[in-house]
Amino acid sequence: VQNLSIIGLQWGDEGKGKIVDYFADEFDGVSRYNGGSNAGHTIVIGNRTYVFHLLPSGLLKGKRLFIGPGVVLDPIILKEELELAKKEGIKFDLLVDGRCTLVTPLEREMDAILETLRGDKALGTTKRGIGPAYAMRALRVIPRVMDLISGNYNLTFAKKFYSLFKKDLPDLGDWITESEEVLHDRVGDVSKSILEMNESQKWVIFEGAQGVLLDLIYGTYPYVTGAHTLANYIPASLGLPAKSVGIVMGVVKAYTTRVGNGPFPTELHGGLAEAIRTSGKEYGATTRRPRRIGWLDLVALKYSIKINGVEEIALTKLDILTKIKEMKVCTSYLLNGEEMTDFSTALPKIGEASPVYSEFPSFWGVELTSSKLPRVVDSFLEYLENELKVTIKLVSIGEDREETVERT
Ligand code: IMO
Ligand code: MG
């Protein structure tokens, strides 16, 4: 056994939360390592739906939970989630790394101001202060969690800095008190804890947020998030040796969605998009925005798979394809009259790429059960495995935890 890294290979919302929850039984802990409360990870058990933004998805399996140093942490959102979990009677043990970057109301304000300044070029961020928090980390403006707890910080510089953007700054007094309260008993050294666990043969799931195409450097810049989403970033952002990344499992939705702005070659409009959106409940778990919908894009996926060295995939939301009458997959792009299969070559002009599709027998009305997948589905999965050169380990055929098929 070893650690398991679970990352999204598209533009987020691939179903990472469900997959983490599914595998959590076999592990001793689950750790977040990137992003912040921009993530929205959903787990469905029976008639209950749980959405978490900061708490790792191992909490419903009673695993040790970690928020690693690379996360930008909004203590007020964490407080809300802790209260919700308490109300639900969910018990867990959470350790927050002292090196986490804090997200204060100032970064949230700044996120909104920057979006307004961008006008019709707005990124469509979640307005959770993620980009500004990472920027403030790089500029060394904001104290970290450990500085807040030790009382060894001064906000004078931060306030001067923010006054460049905004004249009437909110008073942070209450925020500081509240944040200290939430974090006080939960702060420690996540890197050290995970290293110690690994040394005694205890293994951890690293729960990715966002997706590869939203990576700050390797995604569809500038329409990306403020952090890194590649598997390589996991050990770096957790302070672990590179080999700790363990198995890298990519999560892929059987079609594509995107929230916020930016290029999306296989995007659909009209009735079909609406039908998928409705069946797939494709509304943002963090912002409630309707997600943009499109067919599966193999050009983009091959890129995500290649740059992450992904060998295993969990394919989610296959059941949604049984509710539509068409079935298409994008196999190349047309760009300036030229056919292209290489995403990184197309990337500088990706906004102008038009998709070339292969059609497949539709899954319309096909019944999916956990015991055996129908032939039409199996041959599609085999096609994907051949094209993408991966193993599809797991298939999700419904939103419930139980509706998951392991392929052998
Ligand atoms: P999970 O973990 C989907 C998108 C936003 C926006 C862009 C930048 O649930 O997959 P940000 O607030 O991060 O600066 O916004 O990134 N985005 C996500 N889209 N799923 C997510 O997380 C996302 N987190 C950020 O919609 O387009
Ligand atoms: Mg989500």
Side-chain angles (χ1 to χ4, degrees), residues 12 72 135 190 201 265 281 289 358 379 407:
V72 290
V190 166
Q201 305 290 305
K281 299 187 185 162
R289 290 176 289 178
S358 284
S379 48
R407 287 171 84 241

Side-chain angles (χ1 to χ4, degrees), residues 100-134:
C100 284
T101 301
L102 286 164
V103 183
T104 75
L106 301 176
E107 283 78 31
R108 294 182 68 134
E109 284 246 15
M110 197 169 171
D111 203 346
I113 293 170
L114 289 171
E115 282 289 85
T116 309
L117 283 178
R118 288 184 180 113
D120 63 0
K121 297 275 190 305
L123 306 180
T125 73
T126 58
K127 301 210 172 109
R128 296 296 185 100
I130 306 303
Y134 279 112

Side-chain angles (χ1 to χ4, degrees), residues 8 11-16 32 36-41 52 111 123-132 208-211 214 222-227 257-262 285-287 289 291:
W11 278 288
D13 301 323
E14 297 90 352
K16 299 175 289 288
R32 280 281 305 271
S37 66
N38 50 348
H41 295 179
F52 298 102
D111 203 346
L123 306 180
T125 73
T126 58
K127 301 210 172 109
R128 296 296 185 100
I130 306 303
Q210 292 80 52
L214 285 172
Y223 297 97
V224 292
T225 188
T257 60
R258 175 161 204 173
V259 212
N261 302 327
T286 301
T287 55
R289 290 176 289 178
R291 294 180 184 142

Side-chain angles (χ1 to χ4, degrees), residues 71-91:
V71 169
V72 290
L73 185 119
D74 186 328
I76 307 308
I77 302 224
L78 182 63
K79 182 182 174 183
E80 285 167 18
E81 294 201 339
L82 291 168
E83 279 167 1
L84 181 81
K86 192 171 173 202
K87 211 174 82 196
E88 297 280 336
I90 306 169
K91 291 217 165 50

